[in-house]
Amino acid sequence: MKADPAGVLTGAHYLDGDFACGEGAMAAGCRFTAGYPITPSTEVVERISRRFPMMGGTFIQMEDELASMAAVVGASWTGTKCLTVTSGPGFSLMMENIGLGAMMETPLVVVNVQRGGPSTGLPTMTGQADMMQARWGSHGDYRLIALSPQSPQESFDLMIDAFNLSEEYRVPVLFMMDECVGHMTEKVVIPPADEIEIVPRKLTDKPPGEFLPYKANGNGVPEFARAGDGYRFHTTGLTHDERGYPVMSAECQEELIPRLINKITDNVDKISRFDEENTDGADVVLVTYGITARVARMGIDMARKKGVKVGVIRLIVVWPFPEQHIRDLASKIKAFVVPEINLGQMVLEVERCAGGKAETILVPHAGGGVHNPQDICDAILRAAK
Amino acid sequence: MSVTIEEVEAAAQKHPVAPYLRMDRMPHIWCPTCGIGTVMKCYAQALEEADVDMDKAAIVSGIGCTGRVAGYMNLDAFHSTHGRAIPFATGVKLGRPELLVTVFSGDGDLSGIGGNHFIHAARRNMDLLVILVNNFIYGMTGGQNAPTTPLTAKSSTMPFGNFEEPFNLPHLAASCGAVYVARWTCLHTRRLTKSFQEAIDRRGFRFIEVIAPCSTLYARLNRLGSGFDLMRFYHDSAEIKHGADPKEVGIDFQDKIICGKFIDEDRPAMHERMDAHYKKVLGDKYVPMPPEGGWLHE
Ligand code: SF4
């Protein structure tokens, strides 16, 4: 369906990434947001709380991030599209109910405007060190989807994709921004509502007596019933059967958990998104995401001037990781170079997929700033040798 | 005289509150003479007596023995995470304001791990009916000390007796702004049902504490006899004092239990206040969330 015009601020604007992210959520149809203030993400909910009352949306500032996350899982069960927004320390607190969202198969979006960590770290300065937390942060086995925008424009555009993916696969989608993108102000073009495609909640058309809340369709994703529509369903964070009833057995676990994982892994090709440039015939391929993808441009140009054939994979959907593509590339190139604002996270994934067929070189940055492009260039030159 | 399983099942289906329960999930997991089942039955009866539209009622529980209640009620039911039933329910309520949302959980869940959510929901007068079954202990995990364990009572983590001051929960709720505060024991079935029914018809943060025995752990660790002995003891130790100052209703080990309705006020719930405020300050620009929720559809 098309976006509700009430949430779409059509036109060309000069916005920072946080504001653009908020606009993206509203354009995507988000009408419930719960949040707790935390730098550098708070502008997202400030934007939303100012605009929601004019479009039938409700914002509530909760007492902490545990509550914010629990509230959006709850609200999503009314069919309302939901968002919560945070940064590192809050992201840690949200892990509990992100797991609940995964287990209950609840569509919603969580924004993490990453800052330097661990702990309180560098509240006002950038980082990309929560990437593995986005993959593994809550306990147990599950798979989610994570996206990473590189600009305010993408903070808007990808927010729509994030909501749509969450509806399509009934999972929490993690929106992994960083402080730089969040606080950078650029031109953001918001299209008319009728040019924005929205995936609505996939409500079941079965009558209450016949509906099983956790019976998956061909895609591995169950149909949805909203609270208040007479289905009187039951949902739980416990291991459950198709009726949503707890079943404490290894057999039920074996039915449920692989399905939660397979609905993502079986659809990697549909979910995956990355920009690919000059990888054909490249000696070195840079794998990058978020703000670092932009910083790396200069390093790549410098290396190209020295005659190195450099290709780029810019991850847009970070999780699920495009394993097969990296594997295929590995046998054709000398090395991968992975710059990131952490001391080695997504590089582990690249290295795993490269499987020893190509060298993998990390260009680390401990956080608080972005890379010096010279360091990226040097790593590319080293890799090309 | 022997009865067949079929006869037992047929009899169960005829139970007056059967339509309010998920009979396909019976028998429940609670121990014999645990007090929780009685409280659930009173709640089911109150739904009937208050003529609640069950399609428009949701129930949210946290984790623990009482946390299993949501799973047995024939409503839209959410068995959420430990301590988070109140914020989860806050989302359900604000996502679809027309729903009657009940939180049904235990003392450890709501006042221990969920204590912060409890006080804030009371402060903002969230439109929730909160039913807290207090058995003075963590039942499901094996009888550990709770924020409600009375002084000197034994628990598996206070084997020499509890020396921490417990919460006086009606006082906590009232001082944080709850508009309806009552306490009963689980054997006060008639009064408890009436209190549930009354609270269903109120708005805002309504809090009802129900004192109930944990037969398997609290009663055993403290050598208090069977669950039924303890149930009767609680009932007989009750002193009904409507309008009592919540400050004065703390509970000592195996001592009197002040019961009754302590607070009953009428103040707009959080979402009503929000609505009225936006109407006032934004006028025609304000677009409220529809009662059936903020979901987008063709
Ligand atoms: S452990 Fe205690 S509270 Fe839990 S079901 Fe048994 S008697 Fe009830």
Side-chain angles (χ1 to χ4, degrees):
Chain A
M1 70 186 268
K2 302 295 176 197
D4 169 15
V8 185
L9 201 68
T10 304
H13 309 272
Y14 193 53
L15 294 178
D16 74 9
D18 281 356
F19 278 1
C21 166
E23 287 300 335
M26 291 182 280
C30 173
R31 294 294 179 269
F32 178 80
T33 298
Y36 183 82
I38 186 165
T39 305
S41 74
T42 315
E43 294 90 332
V44 182
V45 294
E46 285 173 353
R47 182 81 175 188
I48 286 173
S49 58
R50 186 163 278 277
R51 302 229 306 119
F52 254 5
M54 271 69 88
M55 65 181 80
T58 297
F59 169 73
I60 182 169
Q61 184 170 318
M62 297 299 285
E63 49 275 13
D64 56 31
E65 289 90 345
L66 300 162
S68 303
M69 192 62 221
V72 294
V73 179
S76 180
W77 279 91
T78 66
T80 303
K81 295 194 182 208
C82 297
L83 174 77
T84 185
V85 182
T86 192
S87 182
F91 198 51
S92 293
L93 290 182
M94 286 182 180
M95 285 302 150
E96 175 191 57
N97 290 297
I98 286 176
L100 181 68
M103 193 61 149
M104 286 184 167
E105 301 184 67
T106 312
L108 55 92
V109 177
V110 179
V111 174
N112 176 5
V113 186
Q114 295 173 88
R115 64 194 220 184
S119 189
T120 315
L122 297 169
T124 60
M125 300 163 93
T126 202
Q128 291 182 312
D130 306 345
M131 302 308 294
M132 280 295 172
Q133 190 181 17
R135 171 65 188 82
W136 300 101
S138 198
H139 58 279
D141 268 323
Y142 61 94
R143 291 288 190 288
L144 301 180
I145 297 172
L147 293 90
S148 182
Q150 66 166 350
S151 64
Q153 180 68 53
E154 267 196 359
S155 300
F156 176 87
D157 296 339
L158 295 183
M159 208 47 185
I160 305 207
D161 298 326
F163 273 94
N164 287 348
L165 285 165
S166 80
E167 297 293 342
E168 196 72 57
Y169 296 98
R170 276 188 68 173
V171 285
V173 170
L174 310 177
F175 202 68
M176 303 298 287
M177 296 173 62
D178 54 69
E179 184 275 339
C180 257
V181 170
H183 284 165
M184 143 199 308
T185 302
E186 287 182 341
K187 183 177 174 184
V188 175
V189 179
I190 298 180
D194 59 10
E195 286 172 23
I196 300 175
E197 206 52 53
I198 297 296
V199 178
R201 187 63 51 91
K202 301 195 169 172
L203 296 186
T204 184
D205 47 23
K206 291 202 177 67
E210 290 164 30
F211 174 67
L212 287 170
Y214 288 99
K215 189 172 170 50
N217 61 20
N219 226 9
V221 186
E223 289 174 343
F224 195 88
R226 306 193 310 142
D229 280 354
Y231 285 88
R232 302 194 197 166
F233 55 78
H234 179 256
T235 178
T236 173
L238 286 170
T239 296
H240 47 268
D241 61 15
E242 289 180 341
R243 297 170 300 173
Y245 289 1
V247 179
M248 299 299 95
S249 77
E251 290 73 27
C252 190
Q253 180 84 349
E254 182 59 42
E255 278 282 305
L256 175 64
I257 308 306
R259 180 175 67 71
L260 295 185
I261 288 174
N262 294 343
K263 71 178 177 179
I264 302 301
T265 50
D266 289 352
N267 291 301
V268 170
D269 292 344
K270 278 189 241 160
I271 302 169
S272 235
R273 255 180 80 188
F274 48 83
D275 277 346
E276 182 162 17
E277 175 197 311
N278 296 336
T279 52
D280 262 357
D283 288 325
V284 177
V285 169
L286 210 84
V287 181
T288 180
Y289 57 93
I291 188 62
T292 308
R294 292 179 71 177
V295 175
R297 306 300 324 174
M298 199 171 161
I300 293 165
D301 289 345
M302 289 155 77
R304 281 183 183 151
K305 283 205 185 100
K306 301 218 169 182
V308 185
K309 287 193 197 134
V310 192
V312 184
I313 299 279
R314 178 175 75 91
L315 303 173
I316 295 169
V317 169
V318 188
W319 300 113
F321 189 76
E323 300 185 5
Q324 194 51 49
H325 195 66
I326 298 293
R327 239 174 239 134
D328 294 345
L329 274 177
S331 50
K332 297 180 196 148
I333 65 168
K334 269 194 193 148
F336 291 107
V337 170
V338 186
E340 46 185 349
I341 309 174
N342 58 53
L343 299 184
Q345 297 199 7
M346 297 309 292
V347 71
L348 299 173
E349 209 50 10
V350 177
E351 197 169 7
R352 180 177 71 82
C353 298
K357 296 210 178 76
E359 201 187 344
T360 306
I361 297 173
L362 167 71
V363 192
H365 189 303
V370 295
H371 288 79
N372 182 338
Q374 186 66 53
D375 294 341
I376 295 174
C377 170
D378 291 349
I380 296 171
L381 297 180
R382 249 194 352 264
K385 277 219 186 92
Chain B
M1 196 185 84
S2 67
V3 284
T4 62
I5 291 177
E6 286 73 23
E7 280 165 345
V8 171
E9 281 177 357
Q13 294 300 340
K14 280 199 212 110
H15 192 284
V17 295
Y20 292 83
L21 303 180
R22 292 181 196 274
M23 297 307 287
D24 57 344
R25 289 209 60 207
M26 296 297 147
H28 56 68
I29 64 156
W30 296 310
C31 310
T33 72
C34 171
I36 298 169
T38 321
V39 187
M40 181 171 80
K41 193 243 164 194
C42 293
Y43 173 65
Q45 205 168 332
L47 290 176
E48 183 177 27
E49 283 168 20
D51 203 17
V52 168
D53 178 355
M54 286 167 63
D55 288 346
K56 295 277 180 263
I59 182 165
V60 184
S61 286
I63 299 298
C65 293
T66 314
R68 292 304 186 96
V69 168
Y72 299 128
M73 294 302 305
N74 189 16
L75 306 170
D76 287 326
F78 301 95
H79 182 222
S80 68
T81 36
H82 196 21
R84 317 297 166 222
I86 286 179
F88 192 106
T90 296
V92 174
K93 178 70 202 183
L94 294 179
R96 190 161 187 176
E98 66 182 343
L99 300 184
L100 166 72
V101 184
T102 302
V103 169
F104 207 130
S105 219
D107 49 319
D109 187 75
L110 290 172
S111 78
I113 186 168
N116 195 32
H117 312 308
F118 182 90
I119 62 177
H120 284 277
R123 169 185 65 76
R124 55 170 78 95
N125 202 21
M126 261 323 294
D127 195 32
L128 300 174
L129 167 58
V130 177
I131 298 168
L132 182 152
V133 177
N134 183 0
N135 52 24
F136 306 120
I137 209 157
Y138 282 85
M140 186 157 286
T141 46
Q144 295 80 16
N145 219 70
T148 46
T149 308
L151 279 170
T152 74
K154 289 196 174 99
S155 62
S156 63
T157 48
M158 287 275 195
F160 307 106
N162 172 42
F163 49 80
E164 277 188 27
E165 290 276 352
F167 266 138
N168 167 356
L169 292 173
H171 179 42
L172 179 69
S175 60
C176 293
V179 290
Y180 185 99
V181 178
R183 177 198 279 153
W184 297 103
T185 83
C186 69
L187 261 196
H188 287 94
T189 50
R190 206 169 40 82
R191 293 172 193 270
L192 180 59
T193 306
K194 189 167 162 276
S195 193
F196 285 158
Q197 196 189 332
E198 194 171 68
I200 284 169
D201 290 329
R202 298 286 193 275
R203 57 179 178 171
F205 190 87
R206 295 144 283 164
F207 174 66
I208 299 172
E209 180 187 23
V210 192
I211 307 298
C214 164
S215 43
T216 303
L217 293 152
Y218 188 75
R220 189 170 53 81
L221 289 168
N222 288 289
R223 302 185 183 284
L224 301 172
S226 73
F228 191 65
D229 292 337
L230 195 51
M231 217 179 277
R232 179 162 292 152
F233 174 83
Y234 289 154
H235 180 265
D236 296 347
S237 311
E239 217 173 89
I240 299 178
K241 269 195 195 168
H242 292 299
D245 180 354
K247 217 173 166 177
E248 311 294 330
V249 305
I251 299 176
D252 288 327
F253 184 53
Q254 293 299 92
D255 200 357
K256 68 170 190 289
I257 297 170
I258 303 198
C259 290
K261 182 168 74 175
F262 308 132
I263 307 273
D264 188 358
E265 292 167 3
D266 184 43
R267 271 187 286 125
M270 179 270 188
H271 68 290
E272 295 169 321
R273 242 182 232 282
M274 174 177 75
D275 237 27
H277 179 73
Y278 280 146
K279 270 191 193 114
K280 192 165 134 213
V281 298
L282 296 174
D284 292 345
K285 281 190 286 180
Y286 174 50
V287 181
M289 182 182 280
E292 70 277 12
W295 69 302
L296 297 184
H297 47 101
E298 314 274 4

